[in-house]
C-alpha cells in the first residue's frame, strides 16, 4: 500500500508563467490566486503569469508567489489524488505545507511570507552577505570548513540538501573563504548563488522579532496531518509549536536530508512535490532509493502523476 507525503519547494523554484494553466483550467486554483491577490492588495497572479522576471526574483515577491502557486497546485491535486500521511516544505515551503495541513489560513500565510521576505531583504545590506552551493563534499566536511573560515565573521551551513550538496551562508568574505577551504578539502564544485540575502544563518537573527509580531496576529490550528519541520526534521502536529519552529527556522539550517529520512522512517513510500519546479524530487532521489518522487506543477504533470499513483 502506498503511503504518500506532500512536499513543497522553497525560493529558487520560481519561473515566469508558473500556475497559469492551472488558473485557467481549474476553479480551485483560480480561487487560491484570487484570495492571495485580495490579501496582498495587488495582482501577484499577474507577476506569476507574466513577470517581469526581475520583479519575481525580489525576495518579497518570490516568497508569496511560490507559496501561492504551491497552494494552487495543492488545491487542484487534493481533489483528485490520494491524501498525504505527512507534509513538509523546504524553507519557505514549510509555510505551504502548513497551509496544506490546515494549520494556517492561506491569506494569513501570504501576508506572513510577504513580511518574511521583506524582513530578510532588509536584515543585511546588499553585498554584505552571500551564499554558495558546495557539491561533492560531506556535510560534516563543509561544516568544518565553515568553522575554520569564519575568522570572527558569520559563515555556516544553511541547507543540508543531500549527502553531496550543502549550501552555506554568511558574510560574503567568509563565504568565499569557506568555499576555498571546501575546494581544498576536495569539493567538486563551489558555486556562488545569486541571492539577495544570506538565508538561514545568524545574520538573519534581526528578522525574528519582526516576524514574531506578524505571526502573533495569525491564528494557528492543529495540523490535520503532521508537518515535518526544517528545524527538528521530525513530524509536528502541535499547534503551539508551529510559530516557535517558524521563527527558529529563519536563522537555523534547513535539515532536508533528515526531513526525508524522517519521512522514510515513518513508512512513506511516495512523495509528491507540489509547486513550481522539481528540485526537491531530485534531492530526494540522492538521499534515498526507497521513496519514489513525483512533481506536479501544471495540468500535464497532474494527469501523469495521478495515473502513476493510481497504478501504485
Amino acid at each position: 500500500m502506498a503511503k504518500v507525503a506532500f512536499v513543497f519547494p522553497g525560493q529558487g523554484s520560481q519561473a515566469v508563467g508558473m500556475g497559469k494553466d492551472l488558473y485557467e483550467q481549474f476553479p480551485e486554483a483560480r480561487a487560491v490566486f484570487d484570495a492571495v491577490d485580495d490579501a496582498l492588495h495587488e495582482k501577484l497572479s499577474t507577476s506569476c503569469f507574466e513577470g517581469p522576471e526581475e520583479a519575481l526574483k525580489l525576495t518579497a515577491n518570490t516568497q508569496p508567489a511560490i507559496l501561492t502557486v504551491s497552494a494552487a497546485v495543492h488545491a487542484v491535486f487534493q481533489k483528485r489524488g490520494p491524501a498525504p500521511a505527512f507534509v513538509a516544505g523546504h524553507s519557505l515551503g514549510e509555510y505551504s505545507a502548513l497551509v496544506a495541513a490546515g494549520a494556517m489560513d492561506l491569506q494569513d500565510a501570504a501576508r506572513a511570507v510577504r513580511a518574511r521576505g521583506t524582513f530578510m531583504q532588509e536584515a543585511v545590506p546588499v553585498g554584505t552577505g552571500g551564499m554558495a552551493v558546495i557539491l561533492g563534499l560531506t556535510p560534516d566536511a563543509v561544516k568544518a570548513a565553515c568553522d575554520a573560515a569564519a575568522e570572527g565573521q558569520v559563515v555556516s551551513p544553511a541547507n543540508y540538501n543531500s549527502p553531496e550538496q550543502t549550501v552555506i551562508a554568511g558574510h560574503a568574505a567568509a563565504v568565499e573563504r569557506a568555499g576555498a577551504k571546501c575546494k581544498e578539502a576536495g569539493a567538486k564544485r563551489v558555486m556562488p548563488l545569486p541571492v539577495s540575502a544570506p538565508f538561514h544563518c545568524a545574520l538573519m537573527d534581526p528578522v525574528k522579532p519582526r516576524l514574531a509580531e506578524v505571526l502573533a496576529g495569525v491564528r494557528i490550528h492543529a495540523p490535520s496531518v503532521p508537518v515535518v519541520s526544517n528545524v527538528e526534521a521530525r513530524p509536528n502536529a502541535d499547534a503551539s509549536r508551529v510559530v516557535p519552529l517558524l521563527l527558529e527556522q529563519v536563522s537555523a539550517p534547513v535539515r532536508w536530508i533528515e526531513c526525508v529520512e524522517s519521512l522514510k522512517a515513518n513508512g512513506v513510500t511516495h512523495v509528491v512535490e507540489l509547486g513550481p519546479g522539481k528540485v526537491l524530487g531530485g534531492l530526494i532521489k540522492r538521499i534515498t532509493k526507497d521513496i519514489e518522487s513525483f512533481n506536479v506543477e501544471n495540468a500535464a504533470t497532474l494527469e501523469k502523476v495521478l495515473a502513476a499513483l493510481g497504478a501504485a
Side-chain angles (χ1 to χ4, degrees):
M1 184 75 178
K3 192 173 189 180
V4 177
F6 294 166
V7 297
F8 297 89
Q11 202 158 333
S13 294
Q14 69 276 3
V16 173
M18 60 182 184
K20 190 168 191 282
D21 69 331
L22 295 176
Y23 180 89
E24 289 167 349
Q25 292 180 48
F26 299 99
E28 50 273 52
R30 202 170 310 126
V32 167
F33 280 100
D34 291 349
V36 173
D37 285 353
D38 285 347
L40 299 181
H41 308 295
E42 67 177 80
K43 281 280 188 187
L44 186 72
S45 54
T46 305
S47 298
C48 292
F49 305 154
E50 299 169 18
E53 191 179 346
E54 287 314 305
L56 200 57
K57 270 190 191 161
L58 294 170
T59 299
N61 294 332
T62 311
Q63 296 201 14
I66 291 175
L67 170 94
T68 306
V69 176
S70 298
V73 176
H74 174 258
V76 173
F77 190 82
Q78 73 167 351
K79 283 193 101 170
R80 294 159 180 82
F86 299 91
V87 294
H90 190 287
S91 186
L92 158 75
E94 193 164 320
Y95 286 80
S96 306
L98 289 163
V99 170
M104 198 181 277
D105 172 77
L106 171 67
Q107 291 188 313
D108 282 340
R111 286 186 286 260
V113 300
R114 160 59 56 84
R116 179 181 184 266
T118 304
F119 299 158
M120 285 176 153
Q121 192 85 55
E122 293 171 354
V124 180
V126 175
T128 304
M131 296 183 80
V133 183
I134 314 296
L135 296 175
L137 201 60
T138 66
D140 287 347
V142 174
K143 172 83 167 65
C146 287
D147 291 346
E151 296 177 18
Q153 289 187 307
V154 170
V155 61
S156 58
N159 305 334
Y160 291 108
N161 282 339
S162 79
E164 293 279 296
Q165 186 194 115
T166 305
V167 177
I168 63 173
H171 287 105
V175 168
E176 208 170 308
R177 289 194 298 271
K181 287 191 183 295
C182 286
K183 275 189 175 157
E184 285 165 23
K188 287 179 191 158
R189 284 182 77 190
V190 175
M191 299 184 297
L193 283 175
V195 293
S196 53
F199 306 125
H200 298 291
C201 73
L203 294 178
M204 290 289 108
D205 280 341
V207 171
K208 290 184 193 172
R210 299 179 73 190
L211 185 59
E213 280 185 35
V214 173
L215 292 175
V218 173
R219 193 163 169 211
I220 304 292
H221 309 273
S224 58
V225 295
V227 181
V228 178
S229 76
N230 289 180
V231 168
E232 293 183 336
R234 59 174 188 260
N236 174 53
D238 179 351
S240 71
R241 305 203 60 244
V242 167
V243 169
L245 287 167
L246 289 177
L247 293 176
E248 199 178 333
Q249 187 223 51
V250 168
S251 59
V254 174
R255 293 162 60 184
W256 190 247
I257 301 169
E258 291 168 85
C259 288
V260 173
E261 287 169 347
S262 174
L263 292 174
K264 178 182 156 184
N266 280 285
V268 168
T269 56
H270 296 73
V271 162
V272 184
E273 180 174 1
L274 299 173
K278 46 186 175 184
V279 170
L280 299 184
L283 295 177
I284 289 165
K285 285 182 182 126
R286 293 188 183 97
I287 295 166
T288 177
K289 299 283 181 273
D290 297 328
I291 294 177
E292 197 171 350
S293 62
F294 305 91
N295 81 294
V296 179
E297 59 180 330
N298 51 33
T301 46
L302 172 71
E303 292 310 318
K304 196 169 139 193
V305 171
L306 288 173
L309 286 174

